[in-house]
Amino acid sequence: MTAEIYGENVDPETVKSIRRQAGLSVAEAAAIIGAAPRTWYCWEAGTRNMPAAKWRLFCLLTRKNSMKPGTVDRGLSKTAAVDKALILLARRKAE
C-alpha cells in the first residue's frame, strides 16, 4: 500500500469519504479512535495530518480492508459484535 493510502499523507477527502461510508458523524468517528471531534474536523479540512496509527485503527474498526473509499468488508467475523459495540459506545459518548 502506498503511504497516501496507509495514512502518512492521507487525503482529507478520503478521511471524510470513509467516515461517511461508515455512517458516522464526526463526533462518533473521533470517539471510536480516541480523538477529539475538533481534531477530526482539522483532518477533514486538511489543516492537520491524520496520524498513520489513527487512520489504520479507524479503517480496521470500520472494516475498510484496502483503506480506500468504496471498499467495505461485507463478511462477518468473530469480532463483528465487538466492532458494533465500539460504534455504539462511540455514539453514546458523542451524545
Side-chain angles (χ1 to χ4, degrees):
M1 295 189 166
T2 65
E4 291 78 22
I5 293 170
Y6 224 25
E8 286 79 0
N9 294 305
V10 67
D11 178 58
E13 286 301 314
T14 301
V15 175
K16 185 182 287 187
S17 175
I18 294 290
R19 175 185 57 79
R20 287 181 174 169
Q21 286 180 28
L24 299 171
S25 69
V26 168
E28 292 166 345
I32 285 174
I33 61 169
R38 182 179 173 101
T39 301
W40 192 281
Y41 279 116
C42 290
W43 293 334
E44 287 190 1
T47 56
R48 293 178 67 186
N49 290 327
M50 187 176 205
K54 295 281 189 184
W55 177 246
R56 290 176 189 145
L57 178 61
F58 183 73
C59 290
L60 288 171
L61 292 176
T62 57
R63 292 285 186 234
K64 305 300 181 207
N65 285 338
S66 70
M67 317 273 178
K68 293 181 186 177
T71 55
V72 181
D73 178 6
R74 302 268 184 219
L76 295 176
S77 70
K78 292 180 182 178
T79 60
V82 174
D83 294 343
K84 287 183 180 181
L86 284 171
I87 290 171
L88 289 173
L89 287 171
R91 287 185 173 154
R92 286 185 190 151
K93 189 175 181 181
E95 292 177 352

